Amino acid sequence: QVQLVESGGGLVQAGGSLRLSCAASGRTFSSYTMGWFRQAPGKEREFVAAITWSSGNIYYADSVKGRFTISRAYAKNTVHLQMNSLKPEDTAVYYCAAQSGYSGSYYYTVLSRYDYWGQGTLVTVSS
């Protein structure tokens, strides 16, 4: 049974940093693409970043480029999202997701392409 478990959310002041982690288990993820999405209150879930597990190709939403960094710890089956220079508009529940295969940069942003989802972790950025 595949499980994605996020951790690391919390309350931080604007300009601060947080590091989210996603622990993946239940199968081999070497042929998967891992993504981070977020959903703010009253808004749709949106793409944040993605990384291909084996080659480490990385993709970001324009809104987080230069501030967020996605990475993976291959041996630990863990994906991280380092978030710096946080803004109040980054406040959201952040979700980790896994997509089988490497479908291309556009499809990494599409929610329906992802096969597995975590339960989410709340990030609150105060002004």
Side-chain angles (χ1 to χ4, degrees), residues 26-127:
R27 68 173 305 124
T28 301
F29 288 90
S30 57
S31 61
Y32 275 67
T33 297
M34 306 299 292
W36 284 98
F37 288 76
R38 66 186 181 186
Q39 188 166 17
K43 295 189 176 181
E44 294 186 350
R45 195 171 298 189
E46 65 175 6
F47 170 77
V48 175
I51 185 168
T52 57
W53 198 278
S54 60
S55 60
N57 293 331
I58 289 173
Y59 308 87
Y60 293 106
D62 288 343
S63 58
V64 306
K65 278 181 185 175
R67 301 188 299 121
F68 291 11
T69 302
I70 189 172
S71 62
R72 83 255 192 262
Y74 200 93
K76 295 184 178 180
N77 262 16
T78 301
V79 177
H80 300 289
L81 185 69
Q82 177 67 42
M83 305 186 296
N84 298 330
S85 302
L86 282 161
K87 305 174 182 180
E89 51 263 43
D90 294 318
T91 295
V93 177
Y94 283 72
Y95 296 90
C96 176
Q99 175 183 137
S100 176
Y102 308 120
S103 55
S105 58
Y106 168 74
Y107 293 104
Y108 300 149
T109 71
V110 178
L111 276 72
S112 61
R113 299 287 296 200
Y114 284 81
D115 305 294
Y116 304 104
W117 291 85
Q119 82 289 348
T121 185
L122 177 63
V123 172
T124 304
V125 184
S126 63
S127 57

Side-chain angles (χ1 to χ4, degrees), residues 3-21:
Q3 275 197 313
L4 302 177
V5 180
E6 302 96 335
S7 61
L11 173 64
V12 64
Q13 287 189 330
S17 298
L18 281 176
R19 188 190 195 213
L20 305 184
S21 297

